[in-house]
Amino acid sequence: MSKSSANRRLGPELSLATGIGEGDDVLVIGLTTADEADGDGTPTLVIGEGLFDDAIGSALDSALAAVGAKGSAGELTRLPAPAGLDVTSVLAVGLGAPAKLDDAEHIRRQAGVAARSLAGVNAAVTTLSTADLTSAAEGFFLGAYRFDEFRSTPPEKAPLGAVRLLVPAADKETKAVLERAEAIARAVATARDFVNTPPSHLYPDEFANRAKALGSAAGLKVEILDEVALEKGGYGGIIGVGKGSSRPPRLVRLTHSGGRKAKTVALVGKGITFDTGGISIKPAAGMENMTSDMGGAAAVIATAILAAELNVGVTVIATVPMAENMPSSTAQRPGDVLTQYGGKTVEVINTDAEGRLILADAIVRACEDDPDYLIDTATLTGAQMVALGTRTPGVMGTDEFRDRVAAISQAEGESGWPMPFPDELRSDLDSRVADLANVTNHRWGGMLSAGIYLREFVADGVEWAHIDIAGPAFNTGGPWGYTGKGGTGVPVRTIYALLEEIAAEG
C-alpha cells in the first residue's frame, strides 16, 4: 500500500493556543469591511477579546490602513509584524461584511484561502478560531491539503506545517471541538486522496485492499467479495460492468456498530475506478478526469471510518461496489440483458450508464440489512452539472428524507439541492425485452431518470436519499476557498453530519 493510503500526513498539525508562542511564524487575523453604520469607513479586526493589548490592535489598524486593506472577502494582506508581536509577519484575511462572521462556511472558505497562501510557512497562529473554531480548523486543514505523491521532485515550498488556533481557554470542551473538526477534515482529505490517486494505481482490488486496511485500523468489520463470489452471488450489475476490464470488480462491506438500540444507516457509494464509457465510449477530451468516478465510494469509505473513529451512535453499514468500465472483447454490449442482484432484469442500452448498474446491486444488498435509512452517493450523471453546475449536488429520494439531507448539506456548506421525481419519466425506463432499460430514449431529465432507476431497487419502507456529485466531487478549475484542484471530498461532511443528527434525534 502506498504512503497516500496509510501514513501520509493529510494536512497541517492543529492545536489550541491562548497566546502567540515562540515557534509561530505568521499571525493570521480576520478583517471585516467597514460597517456603514459607524460612518468612519474603517475595516474591523477580528482578533478576539483579550488576546492582544490595545497598542498592538492600533498598530495593526494603522499598518493595514496604510496599505489600503479593505477587508473584502478573500483579500489577503501580508505585513511585517508590529513591535510587541512575537511573529515574523501578519496575514490579514478579508472576511467581507461583519454579518459574515455568523456564516460558518464563509469562515471555512476564508481560512482555506489563508492556508493556501502560506505554502513554505512552518507554523501559523490564527484568530479566525474566535469567530468559529470548527470552521477555522477545517478550513486551514483542507486549504493546506496537497497531493504530491507522484511527483519525482517535491514542490519548492511545502504546504503549511502547523496551525495553532487561538481560543480564550483550552479547556476539555474546546479540545473536544477541535478533535472532532480535525477528524472530519482528515476524513475529507482521505476521500480526496482516494480520488486523486490515478487509475494506474487505484483499481478495484487495490481500492478494496486500501479500504480494508483503513477500515480495520479504525475498528470496522470488513468483508470483500471478489469476482468469483460476485458471480456466484448473482451481482449481475457489478459483474456486467467489470467484465470488460482485465482488473476484476469487488464489493466491499464496512460495518460500524452503534449499539443494540441504535438506528441503522446504510451507505452506498459508486466505485468506478476508471470510466471509459465501455463500448459506448466517451470522447477523448476530458476523459482523464474519469479517475474521479469513484468519488462516491471514496466519500462513503471515509465517512464509515470517521463514524468508527468518533464512535457515532448509529450502526453504519457501507456497501461499496468497485469496477473498471473498459471496452474490450469481453465487455458488455449495448443491447445485452443482465440480471441485477435480487432478480430484476435490465436491458443495457448505454454502457456509459454503468454507475446505476453497480449501485443497484449494492442498494438491494444494503436493504437486506433492514436499515432505517439508506444514503447512496455517486458521480452519476453529466446531467447533474447541466442542471445544477459543478458545485451543487442534486439530492433525490423519499420526500421527507431527501429534504432533510439537502438541508444538512446546505448547513454544512456542501450546497445539496432537493430535486423531484416526475411521474412521467418512469415509463421512459421501460424496456422492450427486460424489466427495465438502464437509460431513457431521450436526454431530458437525465439526473432525475437515473435517480428513478435507483428507486426501483430500494426496499419498501426505507427512508432513502441519493446524492449526485458528478461535478462537486472533482474540481477541474482553479483553487477556491479550501478546495484545490482535483478531488474535493464532497459529500463526507454532509453524510457525517446526518449520522450525528440521526444519533441524536432518530
Side-chain angles (χ1 to χ4, degrees):
M1 186 183 303
S2 76
K3 187 171 77 169
S4 65
S5 61
N7 299 316
R8 193 174 89 83
R9 185 174 139 188
L10 297 171
E13 179 183 343
L14 302 181
S15 60
L16 298 175
T18 55
I20 295 176
E22 186 175 332
D24 295 326
D25 300 317
V26 180
L27 169 64
V28 182
I29 59 175
L31 189 67
T32 61
T33 54
D35 189 338
E36 294 180 3
D38 292 341
D40 62 0
T42 304
T44 303
L45 292 170
V46 180
I47 55 176
E49 292 289 334
L51 291 173
F52 304 101
D53 61 35
D54 291 342
I56 289 176
S58 295
L60 288 172
D61 275 332
S62 297
L64 289 166
V67 296
K70 302 297 184 186
S72 56
E75 175 191 72
L76 296 176
T77 307
R78 188 86 170 260
L79 301 167
L85 273 179
D86 192 18
V87 292
T88 304
S89 63
V90 174
L91 177 66
V93 184
L95 301 178
K100 286 291 188 179
L101 291 175
D102 297 325
D103 184 339
E105 173 64 5
H106 186 73
I107 300 298
R108 191 181 290 113
R109 289 184 183 181
Q110 304 320 312
V113 170
R116 288 193 291 107
S117 76
L118 292 175
V121 172
N122 181 53
V125 60
T126 184
T127 66
L128 292 180
S129 45
T130 64
D132 188 295
L133 175 57
T134 294
S135 296
E138 292 176 355
F140 272 102
F141 192 98
L142 295 172
Y145 170 89
R146 186 185 290 174
F147 189 79
D148 293 327
E149 297 306 301
F150 293 90
R151 298 188 186 279
S152 58
T153 304
E156 182 179 346
K157 292 184 177 181
L160 174 62
V163 181
R164 299 194 328 128
L165 298 119
L166 288 165
V167 292
D171 54 25
K172 181 178 179 181
E173 290 76 15
T174 308
K175 289 177 181 177
V177 171
L178 179 60
E179 287 172 1
R180 175 184 175 276
E182 184 172 5
I184 291 170
R186 191 169 56 247
V188 174
T190 296
R192 289 180 176 184
D193 260 14
F194 277 134
V195 173
N196 289 331
T197 301
S200 53
H201 291 71
L202 192 75
Y203 41 91
D205 184 52
E206 175 66 10
F207 195 10
N209 288 336
R210 293 190 188 194
K212 179 179 180 179
L214 292 172
S216 296
L220 293 168
K221 177 184 175 182
V222 183
E223 176 189 14
I224 298 176
L225 301 185
D226 64 12
E227 69 274 24
V228 175
L230 290 168
E231 184 81 58
K232 183 177 179 181
Y235 292 87
I238 302 172
I239 288 294
V241 172
K243 69 182 185 179
S245 174
S246 61
R247 304 193 285 193
R250 295 288 184 267
L251 181 70
V252 177
R253 301 251 299 160
L254 307 169
T255 302
H256 160 71
S257 175
R260 186 170 60 87
K261 295 184 178 180
K263 296 286 188 181
T264 297
V265 180
L267 305 180
V268 174
K270 174 186 171 183
I272 298 294
T273 57
F274 192 75
D275 183 19
T276 67
I279 297 298
S280 306
I281 197 163
K282 295 177 179 289
M287 194 192 289
E288 70 277 6
N289 295 330
M290 287 299 100
T291 182
S292 68
D293 213 19
M294 33 62 66
V300 162
I301 292 167
T303 305
I305 293 166
L306 177 62
E309 289 177 342
L310 295 181
N311 195 27
V312 70
V314 297
T315 293
V316 178
I317 307 175
T319 303
V320 188
M322 301 171 175
E324 187 176 58
N325 189 24
M326 300 288 285
S328 73
S329 62
T330 59
Q332 65 180 351
R333 298 156 291 249
D336 280 359
V337 172
L338 57 77
T339 303
Q340 301 269 193
Y341 182 75
K344 280 191 172 73
T345 59
V346 174
E347 181 185 9
V348 179
I349 303 296
N350 188 326
T351 66
D352 194 25
E354 84 298 330
R356 66 199 69 184
L357 300 178
I358 69 168
L359 287 173
D361 280 359
I363 285 170
V364 175
R365 176 62 187 91
C367 287
E368 291 180 346
D369 297 316
D370 194 25
D372 298 288
Y373 302 97
L374 168 65
I375 308 157
D376 81 84
T377 185
T379 50
L380 201 59
T381 65
Q384 176 273 319
M385 291 181 279
V386 174
L388 295 173
T390 59
R391 299 185 188 179
T392 303
V395 184
M396 290 149 273
T398 52
D399 290 352
E400 184 177 346
F401 192 51
R402 172 203 63 197
D403 292 347
R404 183 179 182 183
V405 171
I408 288 174
S409 178
Q410 291 166 28
E412 290 298 310
E414 291 188 330
S415 306
W417 198 255
M419 301 297 289
F421 280 155
D423 291 339
E424 67 273 13
L425 291 181
R426 170 57 188 86
S427 61
D428 294 336
L429 290 170
D430 288 342
S431 165
R432 179 179 58 86
V433 294
D435 297 333
L436 286 169
N438 75 325
V439 294
T440 65
N441 58 5
H442 57 75
R443 58 185 296 232
W444 313 117
M447 173 176 58
L448 311 181
S449 62
I452 291 169
Y453 181 91
L454 296 179
R455 183 179 63 182
E456 293 289 310
F457 300 89
V458 178
D460 291 342
V462 175
E463 293 293 312
W464 164 62
H466 160 62
I467 309 174
D468 193 331
I469 53 170
F474 196 74
N475 178 27
T476 60
W480 56 279
Y482 52 86
T483 301
K485 293 193 72 170
T488 67
V490 173
V492 168
R493 296 204 322 270
T494 293
I495 300 175
Y496 185 71
L498 179 66
L499 296 179
E500 285 191 326
E501 183 177 283
I502 290 171
E505 302 176 12

